[in-house]
Amino acid sequence: MAHFGVLGPLAVESPPGHWVTLRGERQRTLLAVLLLNAGQHVHADVLVEALWPERPPKSYASNLHTYLSRLRERIDGLRVEHGPPGYRLCVEPGELDLLVFRSAVADGQRAGDALAASRHYRRALAQWRGPVLAGLHVPRLDADVARLESERLAVFEDCVDAELTAGRHGELTGELQAMITEHPLRERLAAQLMIALHRAGRQGDSLEIYRRLRTTLIEELGVEPGAEVRRVHAAVLRGEDPVPRMPPPVWPVCQLPPDIADFTGRDAELAELTGVLGSGAGVPLAVLSGEPGAGKSTLAVRAAHRLRARFPDGQLYVPLGGRDIGEVLADLLRALGVPGPAVPDDVRARAAVFRGRLTDRRVLVVLDDAADPEHVRALLPGTPGCAVLVTSRPRLSGLAGAHRLSLGPLSDAEATELLNRLAGARVARERADAGRIVAACARLPLALRIAGSRLAIRPHLRLGELADRLEDEVRRLDELTVSDLAVRSSIALSHEGLRPPARRAFGLLGRCRLVDLPAWAVTTLIGEPDADEAVEELVEASLLEARGPDPTGEGRYRMHDLVRLYAAEGPPEEGGASTVLAATLALADAAAARLPRTVPMPAPVHEPFPQPLPGSLVERLLERPNEWFAAERANLVRLIGSLGAREALLLLDKLSVYLYLHGHYADMRAAYETVLAATDDRPTAAIAEANLALLRHARGQYEEAASAYRECAKELEAHGDHRTHAWVSANLAHCLIGLGRAEEALHTVRSLSALDDQFLVREAESAALLRLGRVAEAREVDRLALASARATGDPRRIGTALHGFAWSSLLTGDGAAAEAAITESVELLRGTMARSALAKSLRTLGAISAATGARDRATAAFEEARDLARDLDERPRELSCTRALAASWIGEGRAAQAIPVLRACLDEFREMGGRSATGLTWLVLSRACEAVGSPDEASAAAAEAAVLADPRDASAAALRRALLALTEPA
């Protein structure tokens, strides 16, 4: 029995274990056409066109029979039938990989559960050994080949769906990222990768996939992402696991108010409410609270409509709104059939009759705008089968056994959709201005409804004009008024019920412009013994949001933007704002001192900030300084914009210790740009510009960074800031090495004298010497650096110095010393928070391991280094590790998969201006092209690599050897 393969290079196994080689091109073509149509008749004209695409010979019929005869001679048991309809190759389902593939796919589609389906799909995908009929080009089959490749991709996506359903997202991210590289416009793949990353706790990476997809679609096709990927994006933004939208309710008419047609979003909240109220256990009670304007009543009505089928005996809707509870009960009893004279006078008696009327009935009771827990208790049914849904501004914490749901703002996508439904298609046309309106409305449904209504009744009002008005905080609440809807009056109802201490706290918190506040800052700001009671009252009134403890164990509080604007309209209050600011500056100073300083810029010299907080509180907050910065990061970035230039620069320097350590370059960039825009002081501006140049450097924008470094260095020297000038010059030297200007880099570092961190200088000096082929000198520099580092006892410095010594040791031929040093470097750096240095050492461990033949260790190190670099947004290092992994794919027989990845790396390296990196990438690409049988492309790539090669560059030579070793068969 013969076995055939078309899902990859054409393969024939006959008998088992013996692979038949078909040397004739037309024999292979004939067999390929018959196999792709196995079990079906293929007309002779189709075969002739495949065999002779230009012009068939006159004897084509006899030639065709000859080729078939030779195939039968070469392949034992080949069964080809010939009749009037044409030729038919007969194979059993298990004899052809294409049939095995389709059979396994069918099994997966019939499977009863996701896990079983995924196993069948994986079995199907395992049949593929590469592109269909790789190495055999038959124009007549192009459409069939393309269809099969599309079929394979669709099956892969079905498999991913099944595995995501089965909860196996952790195993999919790498595979999906590789597929996205091959198919950057495939929206279903992008949505699946977003879900997998989100479930793995990598929400930022998930959102970045959407950003890249959207940019690619707009730039290449001029279209926005489709509905499904937008839905996944919206769910990730909300921090939810993406779920299908629930169908709209289609229940009969009831006593509820009408469900509004333009209701938008709240899918998760609806699911939670309907799940609780429809559980059928006891008498479920759900309390829906939230800040003014959050859409509590609208959501309650929609949830009640959805639950109508579960409560066939009726749905009662009770607008409380400060009404007398006795009157409410009387109205309810009359609605339930109790005649007027039979309604008791006593409120408790009325409540008892109400409960009696609901006995053994299935009724949903909706209590809207409740203010008093006692009123709610009077309206609770007494027997199972009923349920109660309450909306309230206060949280009604006194209600025992209630399921509580606090309603916040809409997501960005939901808010934009609501505005679109209200104002029409121009929202999509003026998307940027629509986003400004959404932000100014704080994504609250009431504010968005007002803004949308104003746009609807004034069709010629530009979205940009309304956005300009709303962005003026002084007049924003005035603008958010239309007809009988007003945000200010909605907030005022909640504010009027506050006691004087809570009103004072409300005003103080409204004038604090930070994103959210830790508990210590709230009590310090209020500065009164009863501060905790005032805060609890604001939380209960839904005017202040209480959040769970942050990583330092401190509870946090947030006041939403429109509520804050209303609070700020009140009379000024004396409070502890200056104390909070002083404490924050001192905490940032102390936290930075407890973290390793990895940012290659000098710390400003200044007097210690005085700390007004008790020492015990400070110690608790800063027990884990990394987590304190994580909790306060957004606040500190925002605070920088409200300080003077000198204070802002000092605070930003402390914050940068954390931001640079974790690769939060976007925050650093925004903060330094804020300082730059707010100062006329040139020395301060030069320091800000030098840090911005450093961020360009980290992102691989070498030419821009080098130019900015030079300008800053000149200005700092002119101002007499020799210390910062030296640091900037050292950074410039590192940047020049990336640009391939080793001589200039060496001259720069050897001219430095004022630098107080000689490790940075020695690192640049060694790298420049290696690029110039002066390997022995470089190793001596690294040896001295290592000795100095060991003298400090600092694991981070020692690990960094070991990295340099390991690399120069390898280049001098001392492989044993190199391997020992880089292993120790990685072990030491794993125990520190210096993830960037660890990524660098892991990458070098990969190169040394590859050069010494430890292939598995090399690829593992490159993968870990790549993932770290990606988390830190260090694009050059991520690309170099990706290139190395692509080189390893060539050795594993996956050169076709490596080519698009290498071409993408090549484009970015060329844009960065990295001459050596570009040349090495061309070299690996030439090996990949050679492996897939493209000699012309391989030759062209090798020529490009040769042009960029520097014969003096010992580092590049060592990397070249390591990369080429990875391309060899595994």
Side-chain angles (χ1 to χ4, degrees):
M1 179 190 297
H3 288 84
F4 304 92
V6 294
L7 303 181
L10 181 65
V12 181
E13 186 184 20
S14 175
H18 175 71
W19 296 95
V20 177
T21 301
L22 301 176
R23 293 184 173 82
E25 187 73 14
R26 291 198 172 94
Q27 284 186 52
R28 297 169 66 215
T29 298
L30 176 59
L31 181 61
V33 176
L34 292 173
L35 286 171
L36 284 189
N37 296 276
Q40 304 174 33
H41 286 93
V42 183
H43 197 276
D45 290 346
V46 174
L47 296 175
V48 170
E49 182 184 350
L51 291 168
W52 297 282
E54 299 293 336
R55 179 184 300 172
K58 293 179 180 180
S59 58
Y60 68 84
S62 62
N63 290 353
L64 181 57
H65 286 295
T66 300
Y67 295 141
L68 280 170
S69 298
R70 289 176 181 172
L71 284 175
R72 291 189 179 100
E73 291 171 4
R74 296 286 294 144
I75 303 171
D76 290 341
L78 182 70
R79 304 185 300 279
V80 180
E81 298 176 352
H82 181 210
Y87 295 84
R88 183 166 73 117
L89 188 148
C90 303
V91 292
E92 295 299 323
E95 294 176 353
L96 174 60
D97 58 5
L98 176 57
L99 298 181
V100 175
F101 167 76
R102 285 179 171 158
S103 173
V105 170
D107 291 340
Q109 292 167 343
R110 290 191 298 266
D113 64 270
L115 197 56
S118 73
R119 286 197 291 267
H120 290 302
Y121 288 136
R122 285 293 175 188
R123 180 163 57 88
L125 294 169
Q127 301 301 314
W128 290 75
R129 296 166 289 111
V132 176
L133 298 174
L136 178 64
H137 182 223
V138 183
R140 183 65 178 77
L141 297 179
D142 284 349
D144 296 316
V145 169
R147 187 186 69 253
L148 282 173
E149 293 290 350
S150 297
E151 190 175 340
R152 175 194 187 185
L153 182 55
V155 171
F156 174 77
E157 291 170 335
D158 290 343
C159 180
V160 171
D161 278 345
E163 293 184 346
L164 287 173
T165 301
R168 299 174 64 181
H169 52 272
E171 305 162 26
L172 291 171
T173 52
E175 195 173 7
L176 282 167
Q177 283 166 338
M179 291 296 283
I180 281 288
T181 302
E182 293 183 39
H183 307 280
L185 299 177
R186 192 81 173 186
E187 294 189 35
R188 187 180 177 193
L189 283 174
Q192 291 171 330
L193 179 54
M194 290 170 66
I195 294 169
L197 290 169
H198 179 55
R199 288 183 179 175
R202 296 168 59 183
Q203 185 183 28
D205 289 344
S206 178
L207 296 174
E208 174 65 13
I209 294 297
Y210 180 84
R211 186 194 66 76
R212 290 181 187 173
L213 172 69
R214 182 172 180 270
T215 300
T216 303
L217 287 173
I218 290 173
E219 289 179 351
E220 296 192 20
L221 303 179
V223 298
E224 289 283 343
E228 176 60 17
V229 75
R230 291 201 309 272
R231 182 187 69 77
V232 173
H233 179 242
V236 174
L237 284 171
R238 295 193 301 269
E240 302 166 2
D241 196 28
V243 293
R245 292 182 180 275
M246 299 179 68
V250 286
W251 315 122
V253 177
C254 63
Q255 297 179 2
L256 295 168
D259 189 10
I260 61 172
D262 53 20
F263 185 93
T264 304
R266 304 297 195 194
D267 292 338
E269 293 87 346
L270 274 169
E272 184 173 344
L273 284 174
T274 54
V276 170
L277 296 171
S279 66
V283 181
L285 169 60
V287 177
L288 183 59
S289 61
E291 63 185 299
K296 299 179 289 295
S297 298
T298 306
L299 176 59
V301 169
R302 168 147 291 208
H305 275 284
R306 288 203 172 176
L307 287 164
R308 283 180 57 211
R310 289 181 177 268
F311 300 97
D313 292 324
Q315 302 84 38
L316 298 176
Y317 180 79
V318 185
L320 292 173
R323 294 172 59 202
D324 178 76
I325 193 63
E327 294 179 4
V328 169
L329 279 166
D331 289 345
L332 282 171
L333 292 178
R334 284 189 286 270
L336 293 174
V338 179
V343 174
D345 293 332
D346 182 70
V347 172
R348 285 179 292 183
R350 290 179 180 179
V353 174
F354 174 69
R355 290 193 294 272
R357 281 283 166 168
L358 297 184
T359 300
D360 296 328
R361 302 180 79 179
R362 296 173 64 189
V363 174
L364 173 64
V365 181
V366 180
L367 306 178
D368 189 33
D369 199 16
D372 189 334
E374 189 58 38
H375 291 173
V376 175
R377 293 189 192 102
L379 297 170
L380 295 179
T383 55
C386 295
V388 181
L389 172 57
V390 182
T391 73
S392 176
R393 292 165 184 263
R395 292 170 51 85
L396 301 182
S397 300
L399 283 177
H403 178 89
R404 304 183 188 285
L405 177 59
S406 181
L407 202 59
L410 297 171
S411 70
D412 282 328
E414 291 170 339
T416 303
E417 176 62 20
L418 176 57
L419 190 64
N420 181 68
R421 292 187 179 190
L422 294 165
R426 55 182 166 152
V427 170
R429 292 195 304 269
E430 303 174 48
R431 186 173 298 274
D433 290 326
R436 293 167 59 202
I437 292 173
V438 166
C441 291
R443 295 178 281 116
L444 284 176
L446 175 60
L448 288 163
R449 190 165 294 282
I450 292 170
S453 298
R454 291 189 62 185
L455 290 168
I457 62 178
R458 297 180 62 186
H460 301 297
L461 177 63
R462 293 183 300 102
L463 268 68
E465 183 179 347
L466 180 58
D468 290 340
R469 295 177 184 178
L470 292 175
E471 285 178 339
D472 182 353
E473 292 192 351
V474 174
R475 60 188 292 188
R476 184 180 302 172
L477 293 178
D478 295 326
E479 293 291 338
L480 290 174
T481 302
V482 65
S483 185
D484 62 341
L485 298 178
V487 170
R488 181 182 278 109
S489 59
S490 177
I491 301 172
L493 287 173
S494 297
H495 179 250
E496 288 167 3
L498 297 176
R499 292 177 296 177
R503 287 194 179 194
R504 176 179 175 275
F506 183 65
L508 286 168
L509 290 168
R511 284 183 165 76
C512 185
R513 301 178 61 83
L514 299 182
V515 176
D516 65 352
L517 287 170
W520 71 262
V522 172
T523 54
T524 302
L525 182 68
I526 298 171
E528 296 289 347
D530 58 355
D532 288 341
E533 294 179 11
V535 168
E536 288 178 5
E537 186 173 347
L538 291 176
V539 171
E540 182 70 17
S542 298
L543 293 172
L544 186 67
E545 180 186 0
R547 300 188 166 193
D550 63 25
T552 70
E554 195 76 356
R556 301 192 77 85
Y557 297 90
R558 181 187 182 97
M559 184 176 282
H560 290 281
D561 285 350
L562 295 178
V563 176
R564 177 181 58 78
L565 290 177
Y566 179 88
E569 290 181 340
E573 299 280 358
E574 291 294 326
S578 60
T579 306
V580 172
L581 175 60
T584 300
L585 293 174
L587 285 169
D589 192 13
R594 301 184 185 198
L595 292 178
R597 186 179 181 88
T598 58
V599 54
M601 288 293 289
V605 178
H606 66 92
E607 292 294 323
F609 292 109
Q611 177 55 268
L613 298 180
S616 58
L617 174 60
V618 171
E619 280 306 309
R620 178 171 67 79
L621 292 174
L622 300 185
E623 182 180 355
R624 293 182 293 275
N626 205 51
E627 294 182 353
W628 182 84
F629 269 123
E632 300 298 344
R633 171 182 157 194
N635 274 339
L636 296 174
V637 170
R638 189 164 182 171
L639 184 60
I640 285 163
S642 64
L643 299 176
R646 174 64 180 165
E647 266 191 331
L649 199 61
L650 285 175
L651 175 58
L652 181 49
D653 176 76
K654 308 307 174 189
L655 176 59
S656 292
V657 171
Y658 167 80
L659 295 177
Y660 195 84
L661 185 63
H662 293 278
H664 298 313
Y665 299 146
D667 279 355
M668 280 185 70
R669 184 179 300 108
Y672 275 111
E673 286 173 350
T674 298
V675 172
L676 194 59
T679 183
D680 294 326
D681 181 60
R682 287 312 304 163
T684 299
I687 293 174
E689 287 169 344
N691 280 278
L692 289 171
L694 178 66
L695 299 177
R696 295 190 193 99
H697 186 174
R699 287 287 299 148
Q701 298 164 347
Y702 295 134
E703 288 287 3
E704 295 177 41
S707 176
Y709 279 144
R710 287 193 181 92
E711 291 300 317
C712 293
K714 290 178 186 176
E715 192 157 358
L716 290 165
E717 189 70 11
H719 293 304
D721 188 349
H722 303 298
R723 180 166 168 263
T724 309
H725 168 268
W727 281 80
V728 171
S729 298
N731 288 331
L732 171 61
H734 281 274
C735 193
L736 292 170
I737 291 167
L739 287 167
R741 302 177 196 165
E743 295 94 337
E744 189 178 350
L746 186 61
H747 173 74
T748 300
V749 294
R750 288 188 168 174
S751 66
L752 298 178
S753 58
L755 190 64
D756 51 8
D757 188 340
Q758 287 299 308
F759 290 102
L760 186 65
V761 172
R762 284 174 175 159
E763 190 178 21
E765 184 180 7
S766 172
L769 288 168
L770 291 174
R771 298 278 185 179
L772 295 171
R774 294 155 64 177
V775 178
E777 294 178 60
R779 193 184 193 200
E780 180 60 18
V781 170
D782 289 329
R783 187 190 64 77
L784 293 172
L786 179 56
S788 298
R790 289 199 187 278
T792 68
D794 181 349
R796 182 182 63 86
R797 287 194 178 277
I798 298 170
T800 303
L802 279 165
H803 165 269
F805 182 72
W807 189 241
S808 58
S809 295
L810 179 72
L811 270 57
T812 55
D814 193 347
E819 190 168 351
I822 199 61
T823 301
E824 184 184 357
S825 172
V826 169
E827 289 174 354
L828 283 173
L829 291 172
R830 284 196 193 282
T832 73
M833 287 183 286
R835 296 196 299 158
S836 178
L838 174 59
K840 188 175 182 180
S841 285
L842 281 167
R843 182 182 62 176
T844 299
L845 172 61
I848 291 174
S849 299
T852 55
R855 183 188 190 88
D856 291 343
R857 190 185 191 200
T859 55
F862 279 127
E863 284 177 354
E864 186 179 357
R866 178 202 58 195
D867 293 344
L868 271 174
R870 181 181 294 140
D871 288 345
L872 295 170
D873 199 24
E874 293 180 346
R875 190 61 178 156
R877 187 166 297 141
E878 181 186 350
L879 286 172
S880 65
C881 293
T882 300
R883 177 185 61 202
L885 291 170
S888 73
W889 297 347
I890 300 170
E892 295 165 6
R894 296 189 288 156
Q897 184 179 342
I899 287 175
V901 175
L902 290 168
R903 291 197 184 280
C905 292
L906 188 63
D907 290 342
E908 290 199 57
F909 277 134
R910 283 192 290 195
E911 186 178 347
M912 290 174 185
R915 184 181 178 89
S916 174
T918 304
L920 289 169
T921 310
W922 274 118
L923 181 66
V924 180
L925 181 60
S926 72
R927 284 298 182 95
C929 292
E930 182 181 333
V932 299
S934 299
D936 292 342
E937 292 185 25
S939 178
E944 293 283 358
V947 169
L948 295 171
D950 183 347
R952 301 172 302 170
D953 192 339
S955 283
L959 278 174
R960 185 182 305 114
R961 289 191 296 272
L963 292 170
L964 292 180
L966 290 173
T967 67
E968 295 297 326

